[in-house]
Amino acid sequence: MPSYLLLIPFLPLASFVITLLLGRRMGSRCHWLPIITVLVSLVCAIKAFFEVLHGNIVNQDLYTWISSGSLKVSVGFLVDQLTAVMLIVVTSISSLVHIYSVGYMKGEEGYYRFFSYLSLFTFSMLMLVLGNNFLQLFFGWEAVGLSSYLLIGFYYEKVSAADAGKKAFIVNRIGDFGFILGLFLVFVTFGTLHYEPIFANAEQAVGQSFAIFGMHFDLPTAMALLLMCGALGKSAQIPLHVWLPDAMEGPTPVSALIHAATMVTAGVFLIARCNPLFELSSLAMNVVTVIGAVTCLFAATIALVQTDIKRVVAYSTLSQLAYMFMACGVGAYSAGIFHLFTHAFFKALLFLGCGSIILAMHHEQEVGSMGGLRKYMPITYVTFLIATLSISGVPGLAGFYSKDEILAMAFASHVATGKFAWFIGTLVAFLTALYSFRLFFLIFHGKFRGTAEQKAHLRESPPVVTVPLLLLAVGAVGAGWFGVPEILGGDNHWSHFLGPVLGHPEVHLGYLTESLLMSVSVLAGVGGILLAWYMYIDQPALPAELAARFPRVYRLLHNKYYVDEFYIRFLVEPIKEFSRVLDRIVDTNIIELVVNGVPRLIGALAAKARKLQDGLLPHYLTWMGGSALFLFVWMFTR
């Protein structure tokens, strides 16, 4: 195996260990080692990408990890087209976030600890995407969960941050339980956990079923749906979406790294990687499509009324991830990964732009206290505008090409729910432009609504913050040019590159139909932008009037459809009450009865027995004689 491939994950691992152990002694210079190692990983990832581009695929084991009976699992790397794309995404975004964090986290207590956690997260995500088997993927999967827990709860003395970290960890465990069951089923079916033999023999599962408690289940459908459970947790799709908005309690660079570009895309990566298994079940494909469509609309409507700058972008992330799910659900896996790639740049740019704004606002996050920042923060203004235009699907920018391909593939799909996904996706394109430009106008236009102290603090962020914004802006514009469709004069190099791994459904929409679909998508985005301008620039009093006129709708959206309250009322509280009852019955009356009761019984018997030891010889002789007589009678009367 080429040595440069080993450097990609293990340099961040070494950085994590050294920075955690020695970072306190390094002081304010502790960021240099994490930054240098992740930049070297980026260079190696770029080299790996070009090697794959020239047809050099690597699938090699390093050493045997587990050998127990028929279970044999190795630590190995699979570097194909899909892995190459993910390596570029993870290392490039992570590098920029590392650099950005030098300015954003300056002076924070636990500065070295933050950078060590960033390195751990980068290592975990790289091991996830590099693995050539399910168990190694699961190791990276769980390590990413641990890293996110540490980073979300970085401000551990802040109750809301600590609770958000626990919430993310627990909700993901629910999805991972289904994922583990899926891995068990995969191993029982194929006798291995390595990708290559499983995907090569996937057709063997067709027509097989199994029974539990007399109920019969289709094997391919069960495998796909159980694996999907893990994807729902990591990518925060309904019903396991509730952790992601709360995770904004972590530092803003964490939001960009974990919740925009890498960790949350792991679920999409899993489904794309397992496409040979998902293709065996039309039911599983339809379930993925419907969940994606519902989450897409659900999150977009909530984002319309949120007032915390990071929560708006968080719900935007939920919605964009749902686009990727819809793409995978209709069989357009390469389109889903294409949107994953473009989304990484414009969403990381949005989050880091939010961080620049929060710094300027002296850590104020409510958009109601902002306004008119354009003249104070010109670089942040321009880069934020580029990201907002990109996510709104404006032609020529990255988001336009990837979103348009998803909508076209959904419309042309033979999956039963394809047209439904196209309709929801087009509607959400309008809503995305509306809430994105709502946020943009409230932040940068109009009058400043903050305090005099905040206004005095307003200034552009330092270069260590703005340079990553400018580099991400280049990606937010040009990342989509790899997949320019033929109708616009391109050759869709993206689909050709990923085709050997993910395939690409044959679609024959015709020039007129494809032009109409593209026009509808663009008009939806433009319509959302114009409506946002009308509501927040031309008629700024209109949003408050609409909220007053439709208070129930506003409360429903502002309170996120009361899903958290529903879970607390019907899941969390009943489980806590059941646990209290179980504690009283099992812990108090059974466990404590045994643990504490047995010693008390022994003590009571010992207290009685001690009275026999009175030190009087006649008493001892009486006991000895009586015992001997008892034994003599017992032996001769048997």
Side-chain angles (χ1 to χ4, degrees), residues 562-616:
Y562 297 99
V563 173
D564 280 293
E565 290 79 1
F566 176 84
Y567 283 173
I568 291 171
R569 175 67 178 84
F570 294 102
L571 289 177
V572 177
E573 290 300 334
I575 290 173
K576 288 170 66 176
E577 182 59 34
F578 176 73
S579 300
R580 284 191 285 267
V581 172
L582 205 62
D583 173 70
R584 288 195 295 269
I585 296 175
V586 176
D587 191 63
T588 304
N589 296 327
I590 297 178
I591 296 177
E592 289 191 13
L593 181 64
V594 173
V595 172
N596 298 323
V598 170
R600 281 198 296 267
L601 177 62
I602 293 173
L605 293 175
K608 297 291 185 183
R610 278 198 298 270
K611 296 179 180 179
L612 302 177
Q613 300 290 330
D614 56 6
L616 297 176

Side-chain angles (χ1 to χ4, degrees), residues 71 134-135 138 176-193 198 210 219 222-223 226-227:
L71 176 62
F134 277 106
L135 198 58
F138 188 71
D176 291 353
F177 177 71
F179 188 18
I180 292 172
L181 294 180
L183 296 187
F184 289 157
L185 203 54
V186 167
F187 177 73
V188 170
T189 303
F190 298 103
T192 181
L193 289 174
I198 291 173
F210 62 95
L219 180 60
M223 277 194 298
L226 287 172
L227 293 174

Side-chain angles (χ1 to χ4, degrees), residues 340-488:
L340 183 156
F341 181 71
T342 61
H343 173 263
F345 293 98
F346 64 71
K347 187 52 63 66
L349 179 53
L350 283 172
F351 268 119
L352 296 187
C354 289
S356 178
I357 294 162
I358 292 169
L359 280 178
M361 289 292 299
H362 207 56
H363 295 282
E364 174 62 65
Q365 295 186 197
E366 284 293 316
V367 294
S369 299
M370 300 176 188
L373 302 190
R374 175 178 52 176
K375 60 183 178 181
Y376 301 101
M377 310 181 71
I379 298 177
T380 303
Y381 171 79
V382 172
T383 54
F384 205 92
L385 175 61
I386 291 172
T388 307
L389 289 169
S390 187
I391 194 175
S392 300
V394 172
L397 279 73
F400 163 74
Y401 296 107
S402 56
K403 181 200 66 177
D404 184 73
E405 184 174 359
I406 291 175
L407 294 177
M409 298 302 292
F411 186 86
S413 171
H414 297 295
V415 175
T417 52
K419 295 291 192 300
F420 169 72
W422 169 80
F423 174 77
I424 296 296
T426 304
L427 174 60
V428 171
F430 166 77
L431 296 175
T432 300
L434 175 57
Y435 68 68
S436 297
F437 270 90
R438 165 187 177 264
L439 184 66
F440 176 77
F441 291 141
L442 287 174
I443 294 170
F444 292 104
H445 289 263
K447 295 181 179 180
F448 182 71
R449 299 179 295 275
T451 64
E453 181 183 357
Q454 289 170 336
K455 189 172 184 178
H457 192 267
L458 289 176
R459 62 182 61 87
E460 184 59 89
S461 298
V464 73
V465 171
T466 55
V467 169
L469 296 182
L470 292 170
L471 293 174
L472 285 170
V474 174
V477 174
W481 296 350
F482 294 103
V484 178
E486 295 179 6
I487 191 175
L488 295 178

